[in-house]
Amino acid sequence: MAAGLTPIVCVGETLEEREKNETLAVLDRQIKDGLDGFTGEQVAAMIIAYEPVWAIGTGRNATAAQAEQAHAHIRARLRQWFGAGAADRCRILYGGSVKPDNVAELVREPDVDGGLVGGASLDVKGFTALVRNARPTAV
């Protein structure tokens, strides 16, 4: 941050943790440990990416409702631990297999501020379709 870089803090649960209904507890632990020592102003300038580990590179992804639940929980914790300003200004992205066919549904959710795109960015036509589908006029 001192060098002018914007940190992207990635959080997310494994498939085993999700199946045990531990997602929110895992997010709490990761947010608390990962952001310990930062001020609300610093957190406001960060990007947090919810990346369910079970979705990275697998072609599987969280449903829009699952993503919204995680994002809303993250935002609520930011509000609780760092204040309303940090919660409102920190961008929370979904990063678990964002693709042209799921991005519109994901970004419609109120607490999903956008997508952190990995492998889908390697195909120019697919990435162009993803960007087009993510635009509010396309939803």
Side-chain angles (χ1 to χ4, degrees):
M1 291 185 94
L5 299 176
T6 301
I8 301 175
V9 178
C10 299
V11 297
E13 78 284 7
T14 64
L15 182 58
E16 180 181 346
E17 290 165 335
R18 172 159 282 286
E19 289 174 345
K20 289 181 178 179
N21 258 349
E22 296 175 350
T23 297
L24 302 182
V26 168
L27 295 177
D28 283 349
R29 185 185 76 248
Q30 292 173 338
I31 294 165
K32 191 170 272 198
D33 291 349
L35 301 181
D36 184 44
F38 288 98
T39 67
E41 194 63 31
Q42 289 172 315
V43 170
M46 293 180 183
I47 296 170
I48 295 180
Y50 169 59
E51 291 199 89
V53 176
W54 52 268
I56 299 170
T58 65
R60 296 177 62 186
N61 59 284
T63 65
Q66 289 170 326
E68 174 58 20
Q69 178 192 34
H71 283 233
H73 182 80
I74 293 166
R75 196 169 310 279
R77 286 300 189 237
L78 294 180
R79 183 168 282 107
Q80 177 184 357
W81 295 332
F82 298 97
D88 293 341
R89 292 186 2 241
C90 180
R91 300 302 81 192
I92 305 173
L93 308 180
Y94 176 75
S97 295
V98 179
K99 297 183 178 184
D101 61 345
N102 68 6
V103 68
E105 185 179 14
L106 288 165
V107 299
R108 266 196 227 95
E109 296 296 335
D111 287 297
V112 178
D113 296 322
L116 183 64
V117 182
S121 68
L122 299 176
D123 171 55
V124 174
K125 288 181 183 179
F127 185 66
T128 301
L130 188 150
V131 172
R132 189 177 311 113
N133 293 347
R135 292 178 35 213
T137 55
V139 265

